[in-house]
Amino acid sequence: PGVYRISTTLQMPADPVAAAQFVSLSGSGKTSILSWDGANNGVMVDFDDGNDECATFIEKLAFQLHGSATGVTGIRTSYSGNSSVNLCIRENYFTGLGYALDCYTETDQVEFIKNYVLLFQLGGVRMQGVCSNFQFRDNHFRMGLGWCIEHLGNGANILVSGNTMQAALNTFRGIRLKNMGNFRIMSNYWENNVAYSNTDGPFVQLEGVHTGTIQDNSTTGSVGLYCYTVDTDCYSITFGPNYHGVSGGTPVEIIRIAAGAEQIYVLGQQFLSSGQTANIVTGPRILDLGYSHPQYGDYMKAEQAQSAQRAFANIATLSTATIAQTTDYNGSMFIGVKQATEGYIYIGIVYAGVLTQIARTNANLEVQLSGTNVNIYNGAGNTRTCEYWINFL
């Protein structure tokens, strides 16, 4: 414990000094304080000049300002073009900095876990260049300006899970992913309690990304015009169930999908609190599998034959599948899809907004749904009845 005042950058050891590659910085928690007393736009800890395979921990330290400097970065990687890999940044406190973490040309294998990022001036974490294999888990971003987590360059494999993002400021934003693939945004919480402003949010903004899942997130308070935005160059993204609370200003739209985006699947309910009237989904989504809320009614339900056909195209091999019938089962949905060329029937069971089961029948059959019975007709007109006893606990 103590205050360690620094005015120049702490440069972490680099190749080819093999014995020094595994140097870590470890403190005793928020009482072990690195206090910046240098110039504006300074860097407190730098991994550069070939910090490859550094296998380093930075943990249990407090990064803060001694004076009134602005734009100071807590931890920086790969500024000169060399790669930094295998970093674990955990249980630190970053207060009043420009960025807690700023990654440049190439950074790989970074875990940012259980950190507290407060009053950031420019953003919480910024990833530039090729940044891949990042995990952001169980962090707390609070009362900052700009994006809590922002990915600007190329890269892949980003997990954002279990983070809390809270503010009482305008221009506070959540997660921005750009030009990358394979991501998961799951079980995060957003709360911004300022008066409604278009400059707030969104909670998630996607630009030119693909192959991702967004589910089980909760937002409340002002998120600006939209909770989630998907731009034209995005594809192969799945929305599971998410929730937006009543406190604060109501967004205009929950999920806004730009024209030209492809394979945007909305397979889970987008819950709203009572009294919310925002549009749930706008734009070219593939298939909505919402259903009547027992208290708040049909605020999300869309049965679109063309969209459903595209959603099941990968199952039916060809894109000529058509919806046979859909019906509700006490909060579930039964979907029958007929593939016209082969004559197969594909049956999917949807519960809680998630497609949970797919089965294929024999060829040349027709399906009629009635209650808990599925009547199957063959080409000769004969009828076979299959009784499905489905219990949802």
Side-chain angles (χ1 to χ4, degrees), residues 240-303:
N242 297 286
Y243 175 80
H244 182 72
V246 70
S247 133
T250 303
V252 176
E253 299 168 17
I254 300 300
I255 302 176
R256 180 178 183 267
I257 304 170
E262 298 182 350
Q263 302 172 31
I264 310 301
Y265 298 85
V266 183
L267 299 181
Q269 296 182 86
Q270 309 305 311
F271 285 101
L272 288 177
S273 295
S274 175
Q276 295 276 2
T277 58
N279 294 320
I280 303 299
V281 185
T282 60
R285 72 276 196 184
I286 300 300
L287 179 67
D288 294 342
L289 298 179
Y291 55 83
S292 299
H293 190 283
Q295 183 175 354
Y296 305 122
D298 292 327
Y299 55 79
M300 174 183 169
K301 189 175 182 68
E303 298 173 5

Side-chain angles (χ1 to χ4, degrees), residues 40-194:
N40 292 341
N41 305 313
V43 177
M44 298 180 71
V45 177
D46 191 26
F47 290 88
D48 208 352
D49 300 326
N51 291 109
D52 199 14
E53 302 296 345
C54 48
T56 293
F57 287 89
I58 297 181
E59 59 184 355
K60 300 180 179 179
L61 291 166
F63 293 74
Q64 66 181 39
L65 303 177
H66 178 76
S68 58
T70 60
V72 176
T73 297
I75 302 170
R76 186 177 71 179
T77 70
S78 305
Y79 185 70
S80 298
N82 298 300
S83 62
S84 299
V85 303
N86 202 357
L87 303 177
C88 182
I89 302 167
R90 65 187 182 189
E91 300 180 41
N92 299 288
Y93 299 81
F94 300 89
T95 305
L97 305 182
Y99 290 98
L101 172 64
D102 199 2
C103 303
Y104 279 79
T105 53
E106 185 174 358
T107 305
D108 195 19
Q109 285 182 264
V110 174
E111 294 179 292
F112 194 82
I113 305 171
K114 293 186 177 180
N115 298 286
Y116 190 89
V117 185
L118 175 66
L119 294 171
F120 44 91
Q121 301 169 355
L122 302 172
V125 175
R126 181 171 64 175
M127 293 164 280
Q128 308 179 71
V130 181
C131 292
S132 299
N133 304 312
F134 274 64
Q135 295 186 31
F136 299 94
R137 294 188 280 115
D138 305 323
N139 302 287
H140 194 157
F141 298 88
R142 185 173 177 84
M143 297 182 68
L145 300 175
W147 296 97
C148 295
I149 298 173
E150 185 176 28
H151 186 288
L152 296 174
N154 298 316
N157 302 333
I158 303 292
L159 171 66
V160 184
S161 176
N163 300 282
T164 297
M165 304 174 187
Q166 293 179 303
L169 303 169
N170 287 320
T171 70
F172 177 70
R173 298 181 174 93
I175 303 161
R176 181 190 184 194
L177 300 183
K178 183 176 181 180
N179 298 334
M180 52 85 60
N182 194 19
F183 63 91
R184 300 291 183 270
I185 300 174
M186 306 169 64
S187 302
N188 300 284
Y189 176 74
W190 160 288
E191 180 182 26
N192 192 12
N193 292 323
V194 297

